[in-house]
Structure formats: structure tokens, C-alpha cells
Amino acid sequence: MVGVYSNPVIQLITQSDAMTKIILLILLALSVISWALFIYKLILGASRRRQLMQALSDVKRASTFDDLRAVASEHAHTMPGFVITKNLTILKTLLETRQSFTPLSDRELEIVEGDLEQSVADVLHTEESYLPFFAATAAVSPLLGLFGTVWGLIHSFVRISEKQTADIPTIAPGIAEALITTLAGLMVAIPALMMFHYLSTRARMLEYYLYNLTDRLVFSVNTLFLK
């Protein structure tokens, strides 16, 4: 513990005023939450991608409506399972109102495709729910650092006024406080911005796989079991 407190940066933080400590604590909280959410989204994204690939493979092998229902049941508690189950409901409704198992009409295809697109939109909305936090963190952190910079400079001028001198011992603590908050703001903002763009790209990839799945569902409905 002695070695930790002998670190000049730690000493500077412990000797700083309440406002500087509050700014640093806010930045620390933003950093911890950002990294926790990012790791969570990475793990969840990898799992959902595997689920999507498996569901797509299973849908391609389906040759009847019962096969599709079995796929939906197998993936019931997954994201692709939600998409499949939600759209099998409307397909079942359409089948019950038909007199024969002929290919879907253009109007019915529009209904199915519209329902599929809404399902994808719902999933993507959930997937992108954390992205505004990363964007806000990347935008706010430098401003908090800048606020700390101005606050530290004000302290330097106040000390100069009080001691009537501008020597290094007088102005150094305030300048150091200013620089430490600036550094902390950038250390939070830069990773948050990278996380935002990476997760945005992952969301676009997820959207691509989801539309592959929905396109395959429409194809299966119209050409495999409605003959």
C-alpha cells in the first residue's frame, strides 16, 4: 500500500479538491460501465451469431411446416427462435384461411415479409439499446475532462493571487489537476468511441444474418411446403 500511495499520480489525486475528485469518479464510473457492457455485448454477440447460423442451417433443411415448427421449438429461447416463432404464427393464420396448399399470393407474401421485417426491427432495437450509452460516454468524457482542466487552471490563478507569486510550487498543483482530468477524459472517451463503432458494425452484421434467415423462411414457406 505504501508503494501505491507513493505514486505521484495517486498522491496528486488524493491531494486534489472535491470537484476534481468528483469528476474523476464520474469518469471512472463511465469507464467501468463501458467496459462491462462491451464485454457483455461481445459474449452475447458471439453466442447470438452461433445461434443464427445454426437456425439458418436448420431452416434450410426444413421441408414442411411441421419441420419449421420443430426448428422454432428447438430454438425457442434464442433470438432466431423469437423471429421464427413470431412469424410462424402469422403463417399458421394464413394457412388456416386458405382452401388449398398453393404458393403464397403477392399480397400474402407482403404480409409475411412485413411481419418478418418488423421482427428484425424489434431484435435490432434491442441489440442497439446500449449503443447510445457508448456514444454519450465518448461525447461527454472529453467535456468533463475539459471542465476539470478549466477548474484546475482557476485554482492555479487563485493560488497565484493568494501568494502573490507565480513560482512552480504555487501553480504546479492546479496545472497538474487540470492535466490529470484531461487525460482521464480522453482515456474514457477514446475506448468508448471505438466500442461504439465496433458494436455498430456488429449490429449491422447481425442485421445481415437476420435478413438471411428471414429470406430463407419466406423461400421455405413459398417453395418447400406450400406446393
Side-chain angles (χ1 to χ4, degrees):
M1 294 298 293
V2 176
V4 173
Y5 285 107
S6 63
N7 187 292
V9 176
I10 302 299
Q11 287 181 348
L12 176 63
I13 294 174
T14 56
Q15 294 170 5
S16 61
D17 66 341
M19 182 58 70
T20 300
K21 289 178 180 177
I22 290 173
I23 293 172
L24 292 174
L25 284 174
I26 293 173
L27 290 172
L28 177 62
L30 290 174
S31 179
V32 170
I33 295 173
S34 295
W35 280 104
L37 287 177
F38 181 66
I39 293 172
Y40 167 74
K41 295 295 287 185
L42 281 183
I43 296 173
L44 185 63
S47 174
R48 284 179 171 175
R49 182 176 178 179
R50 289 194 298 269
Q51 293 168 359
L52 272 169
M53 299 305 293
Q54 183 60 50
L56 181 59
S57 176
D58 292 343
V59 169
K60 287 180 178 179
R61 290 197 299 268
S63 58
T64 66
F65 187 76
D66 289 336
D67 290 341
L68 282 179
R69 285 194 297 187
V71 173
S73 177
E74 181 181 353
H75 298 274
H77 302 293
T78 67
M79 181 189 65
F82 164 78
V83 174
I84 296 171
T85 301
K86 185 176 179 181
N87 290 279
L88 285 183
T89 302
I90 191 171
L91 287 174
K92 183 178 180 181
T93 303
L94 290 175
L95 287 174
E96 290 173 349
T97 60
R98 296 168 65 87
Q99 300 299 321
S100 62
F101 290 100
T102 57
L104 294 176
S105 66
D106 291 341
R107 176 57 180 164
E108 289 170 329
L109 276 176
E110 288 180 3
I111 294 174
V112 173
E113 290 173 355
D115 195 63
L116 287 170
E117 288 181 2
Q118 183 59 50
S119 299
V120 172
D122 292 340
V123 170
L124 290 176
H125 176 74
T126 302
E127 183 67 19
E128 296 175 347
S129 59
Y130 294 113
L131 289 180
F133 175 81
F134 292 102
T137 299
V140 169
S141 296
L143 296 178
L144 286 173
L146 179 60
F147 179 82
T149 301
V150 175
W151 187 265
L153 292 176
I154 290 174
H155 271 207
S156 295
F157 286 113
V158 169
R159 287 170 183 152
I160 291 173
S161 176
E162 290 174 347
K163 297 188 176 181
Q164 300 297 313
T165 180
D167 56 4
I168 295 299
T170 302
I171 64 174
I175 294 177
E177 289 178 17
L179 294 177
I180 199 68
T181 53
T182 302
L183 177 63
L186 292 175
M187 290 177 65
V188 176
I190 293 172
L193 184 61
M194 296 175 66
M195 293 173 192
F196 171 78
H197 285 292
Y198 180 79
L199 292 177
S200 296
T201 302
R202 288 284 293 265
R204 298 286 74 78
M205 291 177 61
L206 181 65
E207 182 180 13
Y208 169 78
Y209 288 121
L210 279 171
Y211 277 116
N212 273 351
L213 176 63
T214 58
D215 288 344
R216 187 65 201 190
L217 274 173
V218 173
F219 176 81
S220 297
V221 167
N222 209 35
T223 63
L224 294 181
F225 65 91
L226 289 178
K227 298 180 180 179

